[in-house]
Amino acid sequence: MNKSVLILGSKPPGKIPKIEVQEVFSSNGSAELANLYIKKIKLVSHTCIIGAKSFTKLDHIKNRVISSNPNELVIRDYKKIYSYIPDLFNIKLKTTKFSKKEQLKFQKICFNKGLIDILMAELNYEEKFLNKIVHILLGSLLNNLWGVSSGFFALLYAAKKYPNSNLIISGLSFEGGEHYYKQGKMTDNRGKIDGYLFWHLKKQIKDRILIFDKEISKKLNVKNLVADEVIQK
């Protein structure tokens, strides 16, 4: 097998494959799974992706991320009012910042039709036609379109950082649902956007994906990773 990186999400039950990787990527609360991987399997660099607003408001995310001691923190929807975030950590860490506009610009290079795919995906956020139009117009005018979830963004960030490595995914379903830590959830609307955009990923990214979940890998028609599992407790 080629060299690999691991991208962890928060879909229950929080499985971690027993396989050595070059780096582990997490998003929001799944940072604690990355910390467990480092303690149980291999000491590697850890990059965590957060949304600035949710990180600052939700203690169940903030505490998990801070406790994981990541080497790099990637902040989406960054503004100057969030400049204090790195000071919350007990270690010195690299900080990469994306404004709303910058994070969309980063995403679009990963999809077949670029920004068009993202806009088409955002139309899935609402059910009724008029609501779809309002969502796109307001999002564009207020510079408030998100695109993919933070878990999906972690995958894209890993793919860019390691252009020749396998992308092993665990805990990302590309649909809405509960988190393994029983707090908060990924909304169905945001899940619809992830689901749409997964099918429009560029071939050079999709062909490198292996999913540590037989059911999801079959559903998304990508390779399944067969490996032992690290138990959380």
Side-chain angles (χ1 to χ4, degrees), residues 28-29 50 54-55 58-66 181:
N28 299 320
I50 64 168
S54 59
F55 174 85
L58 302 175
D59 286 341
H60 66 270
I61 290 177
K62 184 192 304 177
N63 294 337
R64 284 179 166 84
V65 174
I66 292 174
Y181 46 82

Side-chain angles (χ1 to χ4, degrees), residues 2-162:
N2 294 335
K3 291 183 177 180
S4 303
V5 295
L6 176 62
I7 302 99
L8 295 169
S10 298
K11 176 185 178 293
K15 299 191 298 183
I16 305 173
K18 283 185 178 178
I19 183 170
E20 292 193 359
V21 298
Q22 297 167 278
E23 184 170 353
V24 60
F25 295 80
S26 69
S27 56
N28 299 320
S30 68
E32 70 177 354
L33 295 181
N35 196 31
L36 180 61
Y37 174 92
I38 291 167
K39 289 178 179 179
K40 296 280 188 177
I41 301 178
K42 186 181 180 183
L43 179 60
V44 293
S45 183
H46 168 209
T47 295
C48 181
I49 284 76
I50 64 168
K53 186 175 181 179
S54 59
F55 174 85
T56 54
K57 288 191 172 184
L58 302 175
D59 286 341
H60 66 270
I61 290 177
K62 184 192 304 177
N63 294 337
R64 284 179 166 84
V65 174
I66 292 174
S67 297
S68 74
N69 292 319
N71 302 95
E72 180 180 1
L73 189 70
V74 178
I75 307 175
R76 299 175 74 190
D77 72 314
Y78 180 81
K79 301 176 183 177
K80 285 186 178 180
I81 59 172
Y82 299 123
S83 61
Y84 69 91
I85 288 178
D87 298 331
L88 299 175
F89 292 77
N90 297 320
I91 60 172
K92 186 176 181 180
L93 75 168
K94 177 182 177 182
T95 304
T96 303
K97 305 163 186 173
F98 289 94
S99 67
K100 280 279 183 66
K101 185 176 181 180
E102 289 167 342
Q103 61 98 30
L104 273 182
K105 185 177 179 181
F106 177 86
Q107 290 180 52
K108 73 178 184 179
I109 65 174
C110 301
F111 301 107
N112 292 321
K113 295 182 181 178
L115 187 59
I116 292 175
D117 281 332
I118 296 174
L119 291 174
M120 291 300 293
E122 288 282 353
L123 284 173
N124 288 303
Y125 194 86
E126 298 285 355
E127 293 289 341
K128 296 181 179 179
F129 178 76
L130 182 58
N131 291 342
K132 290 176 184 286
I133 301 302
V134 171
H135 174 73
I136 291 294
L137 288 177
L138 286 180
S140 300
L141 291 172
L142 300 176
N143 192 27
N144 198 38
L145 292 177
W146 269 97
V148 299
S149 67
S150 290
F152 200 158
F153 195 90
L155 167 62
L156 303 183
Y157 195 77
K160 179 73 161 46
K161 189 172 183 178
Y162 292 90

Side-chain angles (χ1 to χ4, degrees), residues 11 211-221 224:
K11 176 185 178 293
I211 296 183
F212 188 50
D213 187 309
K214 188 175 182 180
E215 182 179 340
I216 294 175
S217 63
K218 183 178 181 180
K219 179 180 178 180
L220 297 177
N221 194 29
N224 177 53

